[in-house]
Amino acid sequence: MLSHANRKAPDGSLVRLGRGIQAIRLLKMHQLFVVLALAIWTIGTSFDQAWAQESAPYPNRLIRIVVPLPAGGNMDALSRVIAEKLSASVGQPVIIENKTGASGGIGASAVAQSKPDGYTILFAIAITIQAVGLQKSPPFKLSELAPIAQLAELPTGFAVRADLQAGTLADFIKLAKEKPGDLSFGSIGSGSTGHIIGEGLAAAAGIKMLHVPYKGEAPAITDLLGGHISSAFASVGGLGQYPDKVKLLAISGPHRLKSFPDVPTFQQLGYPLHGLTGWAGVFAPAATPTAIIDKLATEIGRIVRLPDVQAKILDFGFEPLGDTTEPFAAFVNAQAERWAAAAKEAGIEPQ
């Protein structure tokens, strides 16, 4: 509404004022149309870019590998070797994201619930699958993950502190019988390979040991070196880095390792323990398209067979494999049943 002063102004002034107001209104409308046009153009451009990205051949952007273990340790190191080679192979960045907790369940659950497009995959070890059968309310189901490729067999090493009066497994068992309950063993978590093998050894040898679970092998080995635990189950390569501070007494698996030929297997020492051994593999969300699974399986299988990668895997104390989708899927299903039975025999109840 015009003010009292404006109502008394000459007619020409009122006309000019009215035209000015109309011009301002027209300018504001024009600006509004410009803003709306820019918004529509931006949305359309973003949609076109997203559509182009989705329709482009896989992969066309960053791939994330979730590792359900803390940084450090040989399993984490193996995942980084694979990530580096995969990035060079597909021409896209491949990053590692360490997501720990619930014996690997938190990381596995994150992948299982992610978009099944091949851009979020899981680097898993045996505990990831074992934990499903050892938890009353596991955070994910095995059916929610699609096996891609098996990377390596991970024989578990059993080592004691260098100052412990046990140069052989027989010595350790004798000492444990003399001091029931005084000796402890560390593992990478409740329900892990080391936990099950440790309890299986205790049952078979008739001894009592205190289990100390850790969130990965690096802290378990650190506490072993620091004298906080008597012994530990961890990767052979991880334990083998400290020959002056720990003594490797035995390894799981069906045969001795090329890199550690002097270390006997539990089976050779009279404790078959079901021939249990660990492993590492790669998974994707279950609904991931077959074409993407096949591409990843082909690339990762080729990477594992590279001479320099095989050499690194052996240095870690692992055995390179490279089995892809179908044989790996059959292996995983068999392993889930086998480890569940072994845990039950060892007296490990679901938590």
Side-chain angles (χ1 to χ4, degrees), residues 28-345:
K28 287 184 176 180
M29 289 297 291
H30 174 72
Q31 290 174 332
L32 177 60
F33 282 128
V34 170
V35 171
L36 286 173
L38 283 172
I40 293 170
W41 178 82
T42 300
I43 292 171
T45 301
S46 299
F47 179 78
D48 288 342
Q49 290 175 343
W51 175 260
Q53 191 174 60
E54 288 296 325
S55 60
Y58 172 87
N60 55 70
R61 54 187 170 87
L62 180 146
I63 297 173
R64 182 169 60 114
I65 299 179
V66 174
V67 178
L69 300 164
N74 280 351
M75 270 75 83
D76 178 68
L78 174 59
S79 72
R80 295 177 190 276
V81 170
I82 300 301
E84 180 182 354
K85 293 290 186 180
L86 183 60
S87 177
S89 176
V90 302
Q92 297 293 337
V94 179
I95 64 168
I96 296 296
E97 179 180 336
N98 297 92
K99 191 179 289 290
T100 63
S103 298
I106 291 177
S109 178
V111 173
Q113 296 171 16
S114 66
K115 188 175 181 180
D117 55 8
Y119 292 101
T120 301
I121 58 179
L122 175 71
F123 174 94
I125 59 174
I127 187 175
T128 314
I129 305 304
Q130 292 157 203
V132 174
L134 292 175
Q135 295 180 19
K136 292 180 179 178
S137 300
F140 73 100
K141 297 178 182 178
L142 191 54
S143 59
E144 294 176 320
L145 295 173
I148 296 175
Q150 187 176 9
L151 306 175
E153 185 179 81
L154 314 180
T156 299
F158 176 59
V160 299
R161 302 193 316 258
D163 64 341
L164 200 69
Q165 300 301 308
T168 65
L169 183 62
D171 292 339
F172 179 85
I173 292 172
K174 180 181 178 183
L175 188 62
K177 288 181 176 180
E178 293 172 352
K179 301 178 178 181
D182 284 0
L183 300 184
S184 58
F185 73 95
S187 77
I188 66 171
S190 296
S192 67
T193 302
H195 181 200
I196 294 174
I197 293 176
E199 298 292 1
L201 174 65
I207 59 176
K208 291 184 179 180
M209 296 189 291
L210 173 66
H211 174 233
V212 183
Y214 292 86
K215 294 182 178 179
E217 78 164 25
I221 293 176
T222 297
D223 268 11
L224 179 63
L225 297 175
H228 302 295
I229 52 177
S230 310
S231 61
F233 288 88
S235 70
V236 182
L239 294 167
Q241 296 179 54
Y242 309 98
D244 297 330
K245 296 182 178 181
V246 303
K247 292 178 285 188
L248 265 168
L249 303 186
I251 62 170
S252 66
H255 52 76
R256 298 190 185 207
L257 295 176
K258 296 175 183 176
S259 301
F260 297 86
D262 296 331
V263 182
T265 68
F266 282 106
Q267 186 168 352
Q268 289 174 330
L269 296 173
Y271 299 95
L273 301 177
H274 307 278
L276 298 172
T277 189
W279 51 268
V282 182
F283 295 77
T288 303
T290 302
I292 292 177
I293 296 285
D294 291 344
K295 183 175 180 61
L296 285 169
T298 299
E299 291 297 331
I300 293 172
R302 182 190 63 80
I303 288 168
V304 173
R305 290 189 290 272
L306 293 173
D308 60 327
V309 174
Q310 296 229 335
K312 287 182 179 180
I313 291 175
L314 290 171
D315 286 343
F316 291 148
F318 306 152
E319 293 282 298
L321 293 175
D323 291 338
T324 50
T325 311
E326 290 186 8
F328 183 35
F331 172 82
V332 169
N333 290 330
Q335 283 284 294
E337 295 179 4
R338 189 174 188 183
W339 282 103
K344 186 175 181 180
E345 278 193 30

